[in-house]
Amino acid sequence: MTEDLTVAPTGRPRRSLTFRILVGMAAGLATGVLLNLLLRADTVAGGPVEQLIRTGIVDGVFYVGGAVFMASLKLLVVPLVFVSLVCGTASLDDISRLGRIGGKTLGLYLLTTAIAITLALLAASIVRPGAGLDLPADLSFATKQAPGFADTLVNIFPSNPVRAMSEGNMLQVIVFAALFGFAMTLSGAPGRRLLEFFQDANAVVLRLVTVLMEVAPYGVFCLLAKIFALQGLSAIIQMFGYFCVVLGVLLVHGMLTYPALLRTLSGLDPLTFARKMRAPISFAFSTASSNATLPVTLETVEDRLGVNNKVASFTIPLGATINMDGTAIMQGVATGFIAQAYGIDLTLVDYLMVVLTATLASIGTAGVPGVGLIMLAMVLKQVNLPVEGIGLIIGVDRLLDMVRTAVNITGDAAVTCIVAKSEGELSQEIFELD
Ligand code: ASP
């Protein structure tokens, strides 16, 4: 286990860092909304002040600050996943456990996603946010190619691990790291020597995570200020019904489904879990990327929730890539919404197809901003709904992306805790520690 990261390198307690991140978020949000109002004001719009705000502040300072922060998080992902998973696999006493852990994890990931999308479809058909909507004439959405299921399976296996790392192909990196770690356990003394090296490297990479977390309050400030300055809140007003249904189901799933599963399947206290998840949730909200948040999720799950690296190093990267409950919720509501807006009735078989496609679609699509819309195109095609309908919801998607990414990573962490607990790999003492 790495050093307890509740103490920042400067010696300040971690609680204050989470607090500063929350302050950074609130300040970024308020600054963004204010700038947006200013940009729209009659006296400013079209003049030199607008130019100055847009190029100097929004696309200048905020863009640079946010982009550097995102890059510094992303640069950690591949080294962290590789080193951490090699350590995890190589220290498994019995390698067949990896299969068992994998089976439980996949089963729970699929189950939570199926619950998520079912809740979404139910909510959309009860509230009917798309009924009676006037469709604008100029809707369009350029579809990108979503990978087929067979290709997705084949693509899990890397033919070139260096390329997999340079492209950040997480499933391939996971497979290579697990194989490498497995070979280390079979190699006797050389394997054990190498394990020491990887354990040291793991400690160093995790230390780097804590160093970079120190600048997080400024990073999240820049990301949120830029988004809200450009986005404003007017898009929400136009799509109010849809926005509220997605948000409502996301909150229900995050605040009811996961706590219920945590409590019933592992007996863990959901409130302690929620309190400790504040930092990764704020990162996910600000970056809208499960992948970029991965270092923080992994660190929290291991050092604050007490999950052993043997489990977390495998389940968290896997979850960031394939488990996207929040995304599935958006897809469920969006499908119902688009069908209602176009006056198309979905049959029960269609609904089942949506559950199946959306659950499978989340496998093999990376956890990066906006990817949910590409997967949505795949779901819509499956049930013969017009893909241009995505044009209706695109305006509010960035905001919902932030919330659903927070749900996505909360699901990864909840499943990880449940699996770890069932394997006797969760330290109750660390979990309960304040
Ligand atoms: N941004 C989401 C994630 O990274 C994916 C999506 O819904 O677009 O988890």
Side-chain angles (χ1 to χ4, degrees):
M1 178 75 54
T2 51
E3 199 174 329
D4 188 346
L5 302 179
T6 52
V7 175
T10 53
R12 268 190 297 252
R14 173 61 175 286
R15 186 183 289 276
S16 80
L17 178 63
T18 308
F19 179 73
R20 282 184 291 132
I21 292 172
L22 291 176
V23 171
M25 285 173 75
L29 204 143
T31 310
V33 172
L34 281 178
L35 282 180
N36 186 268
L37 290 176
L38 198 64
L39 287 172
R40 284 159 194 266
D42 291 344
T43 44
V44 170
V49 179
E50 176 183 355
Q51 190 67 13
L52 183 75
I53 295 178
R54 277 193 195 280
T55 49
I57 301 180
V58 179
D59 291 335
V61 181
F62 293 165
Y63 164 71
V64 173
V68 170
F69 174 60
M70 280 291 269
S72 64
L73 279 173
K74 286 196 206 149
L75 78 86
L76 293 169
V77 173
V78 170
L80 183 61
V81 170
F82 183 66
V83 170
S84 171
L85 188 52
V86 167
C87 290
T89 333
S91 49
L92 276 177
D93 28 32
D94 168 11
I95 205 69
S96 68
R97 282 185 72 196
L98 190 60
R100 203 173 61 223
I101 294 172
K104 284 184 193 173
T105 310
L106 272 181
L108 280 170
Y109 280 161
L110 290 178
L111 174 78
T112 50
T113 308
I115 296 178
I117 187 146
T118 311
L119 285 176
L121 286 172
L122 273 176
S125 50
I126 294 169
V127 181
R128 298 188 62 76
L133 198 85
D134 276 338
L135 289 176
D138 57 347
L139 276 184
S140 67
F141 178 75
T143 30
K144 289 192 201 141
Q145 199 55 38
F149 189 59
D151 284 338
T152 302
L153 276 185
V154 173
N155 283 340
I156 292 175
F157 296 92
S159 57
N160 179 343
V162 178
R163 191 175 60 217
M165 289 185 194
S166 75
E167 287 173 353
N169 185 324
M170 217 38 72
L171 289 180
Q172 294 193 351
V173 175
I174 291 173
V175 169
F176 180 61
L179 287 174
F180 198 85
F182 177 48
M184 276 164 61
T185 59
L186 300 178
S187 311
R192 281 194 295 278
R193 282 198 300 273
L194 209 50
L195 180 59
E196 266 177 40
F197 165 80
F198 272 103
Q199 278 166 341
D200 286 350
N202 195 28
V204 173
V205 180
L206 273 169
R207 175 47 93 196
L208 192 52
V209 177
T210 59
V211 171
L212 289 174
M213 297 254 283
E214 281 296 299
V215 298
Y218 309 101
V220 296
F221 171 83
C222 289
L223 286 173
L224 291 188
K226 176 167 186 284
I227 286 179
F228 282 93
L230 295 177
Q231 188 100 58
L233 300 174
S234 58
I236 299 181
I237 295 163
Q238 282 156 20
M239 285 288 127
F240 193 68
Y242 167 78
F243 187 85
C244 290
V245 176
V246 179
L247 199 63
V249 183
L250 286 172
L251 294 179
V252 166
H253 195 62
M255 292 176 171
L256 292 180
T257 312
Y258 297 139
L261 289 176
L262 272 172
R263 176 69 82 200
T264 50
L265 297 182
S266 62
L268 292 170
D269 177 31
L271 284 179
T272 310
F273 173 83
R275 194 160 37 80
K276 298 199 168 186
M277 283 298 291
R278 272 190 311 211
I281 287 176
S282 344
F283 271 74
F285 184 80
S286 312
T287 60
S289 166
S290 306
N291 270 1
T293 311
L294 201 151
V296 188
T297 320
L298 191 60
E299 183 254 295
T300 302
V301 164
E302 289 187 6
D303 292 340
R304 307 261 292 139
L305 294 168
V307 176
N308 195 309
N309 171 264
K310 288 175 198 163
V311 175
S313 65
F314 176 64
T315 57
I316 291 294
L318 191 67
T321 317
I322 71 164
N323 183 46
M324 299 189 185
D325 295 356
T327 306
I329 287 171
M330 176 280 283
Q331 291 173 349
V333 179
T335 309
F337 174 81
I338 290 170
Q340 290 152 13
Y342 281 87
I344 301 170
D345 280 331
L346 292 179
T347 62
L348 186 64
V349 176
D350 288 335
Y351 278 118
L352 289 177
M353 274 322 278
V354 174
V355 175
L356 196 70
T357 331
T359 308
L360 293 179
S362 58
I363 302 175
T365 21
V368 291
V371 79
L373 283 189
I374 300 169
M375 287 146 61
L376 176 61
M378 200 165 142
V379 177
L380 292 178
K381 275 194 198 144
Q382 196 65 40
V383 287
N384 293 321
L385 284 174
V387 173
E388 316 77 77
I390 295 180
L392 284 172
I393 55 171
I394 214 162
V396 286
D397 195 67
R398 188 60 172 84
L399 295 180
L400 289 174
D401 197 0
M402 297 158 78
V403 187
R404 69 178 183 249
T405 307
V407 171
N408 288 348
I409 60 112
T410 307
D412 303 341
V415 168
T416 297
C417 287
I418 295 170
V419 172
K421 181 83 195 205
S422 76
E423 288 286 320
E425 298 290 355
L426 184 141
S427 155
Q428 195 74 31
E429 201 188 328
I430 299 181
F431 185 89
E432 279 161 14
L433 207 72
D434 223 6

